[in-house]
Amino acid sequence: MTNDQSPPPQPRWSASGGLAAIDRRVAGVLVEKAKTTPDAYPMSINAICTGANQKNNRDPVMQIEPDDVEESLDRLRALGAVAVIEGSGRVSKYRHYLYDWLGVDKVELAVMAELLLRGPQTEGELRGRAARMEPIADLTALRPVLASLKAKGLVIPLTPEGRGHVVTHALYPPAELERLRAQRAGGAAPLAETPLSPQPAASIERTATPLQPLPAAAAVPSPVERPASIEVERIQAELRDLRGELGRLQQELSDLSGEFRNRMSDLDRLRQALG
């Protein structure tokens, strides 16, 4: 009997060939603002530009212009990831279609948005930052979400699982992803998105150069040194988790401040209208 079943269609994001750094930032901003400030969503080009250039919860910090954002939105529209909203006034506004484009649920999209906004992160950092958009109680709640995203090919591990486990998204162009993996393999890569300007090949080679071997007498740590090293790694991982929680709290304060300013502006306009 002939099997007439067709293979499942490939997700739309997999045909994109990866997103440029600006496109990742714009997509992440649209998701973030839709979840944290829904009253200001869909978004104008100027509002997206402001969100893309924020100094908090962004890595790297960018300075892009509205024209750059408009070109990015055109590319994302061509991929089916973003749409312009007609009839919303004189200013065009944009919304994302990333739920369907990526094939994810609400919590998975929050995690993807944080990775798009900041690049590689530890599980602790990612949990703290994504929890401001969707409830993620702890790492135990995050790990099944990451497992699902890994199964979908959307999240890539950069270090072995365990304490301090680092992951990133899979929406880099292939050359950029290989460069990131090479940097991580060299042990000197920062947990940050690659800047807009490509890193020179010579710089990559220097990053990936292995360290010179230690002298024979110091090659094997003594029983006293080994536990101390493990304790240092544990403390460093806990510090990263605390920084992630602090970043989440700072973002919440920033969002509340923005909402307060918007309410005060509305109140001032109402006072002026009432004379």
Side-chain angles (χ1 to χ4, degrees), residues 94-108:
Y94 295 82
R95 59 163 298 169
H96 70 82
Y97 286 147
L98 292 187
Y99 283 112
D100 293 333
W101 195 71
L102 295 174
V104 294
D105 63 23
K106 291 169 61 177
V107 179
E108 290 172 342

Side-chain angles (χ1 to χ4, degrees), residues 201-229:
S203 175
I204 299 169
E205 292 171 2
R206 286 196 298 274
T207 301
T209 301
L211 297 174
Q212 294 298 317
L214 294 172
V220 179
S222 69
V224 175
E225 291 172 332
R226 190 175 291 113
S229 175

Side-chain angles (χ1 to χ4, degrees), residues 55-73:
K55 291 183 172 58
N56 58 318
N57 205 49
R58 305 286 187 267
D59 200 342
V61 173
M62 294 181 176
Q63 286 298 321
I64 59 179
E65 301 296 329
D67 288 347
D68 301 321
V69 172
E70 187 170 10
E71 291 173 3
S72 173
L73 288 166

Side-chain angles (χ1 to χ4, degrees), residues 117-149:
L117 291 170
R118 292 193 65 96
Q121 298 168 62
T122 66
E123 290 179 323
E125 291 168 334
L126 187 55
R127 201 285 312 170
R129 291 165 180 154
R132 66 195 175 86
M133 291 190 278
E134 296 290 345
I136 305 175
D138 49 31
L139 291 182
T140 302
L142 173 68
R143 283 169 181 153
V145 178
L146 288 177
S148 175
L149 290 170

Side-chain angles (χ1 to χ4, degrees), residues 181-200:
R181 282 173 162 160
Q183 289 174 333
R184 291 299 306 178
L191 300 185
E193 288 271 14
T194 304
L196 292 181
S197 56
Q199 186 175 356

Side-chain angles (χ1 to χ4, degrees), residues 123 143 160-165 233-235 237-238 240-241:
E123 290 179 323
R143 283 169 181 153
E161 293 189 3
R163 184 177 289 276
H165 179 43
E233 290 178 0
R234 182 187 67 79
I235 293 171
E238 289 179 354
R240 286 195 293 269
D241 291 347

Side-chain angles (χ1 to χ4, degrees), residues 14-114:
S14 64
S16 68
L19 301 179
I22 291 180
D23 299 349
R24 299 194 299 263
R25 178 63 54 86
V26 167
V29 167
L30 283 168
V31 174
E32 177 193 54
K33 300 307 181 184
K35 288 179 176 291
T36 60
T37 54
D39 291 346
Y41 179 84
M43 302 177 70
S44 68
I45 289 175
N46 285 339
I48 296 171
C49 188
T50 299
N53 290 336
Q54 278 182 211
K55 291 183 172 58
N56 58 318
N57 205 49
R58 305 286 187 267
D59 200 342
V61 173
M62 294 181 176
Q63 286 298 321
I64 59 179
E65 301 296 329
D67 288 347
D68 301 321
V69 172
E70 187 170 10
E71 291 173 3
S72 173
L73 288 166
D74 287 343
R75 290 191 293 269
L76 292 169
R77 289 177 65 194
L79 293 171
V82 165
V84 62
I85 304 301
E86 304 291 349
S88 57
R90 289 178 296 176
V91 177
S92 296
K93 294 194 175 181
Y94 295 82
R95 59 163 298 169
H96 70 82
Y97 286 147
L98 292 187
Y99 283 112
D100 293 333
W101 195 71
L102 295 174
V104 294
D105 63 23
K106 291 169 61 177
V107 179
E108 290 172 342
L109 187 57
V111 170
M112 286 299 296
E114 283 301 332

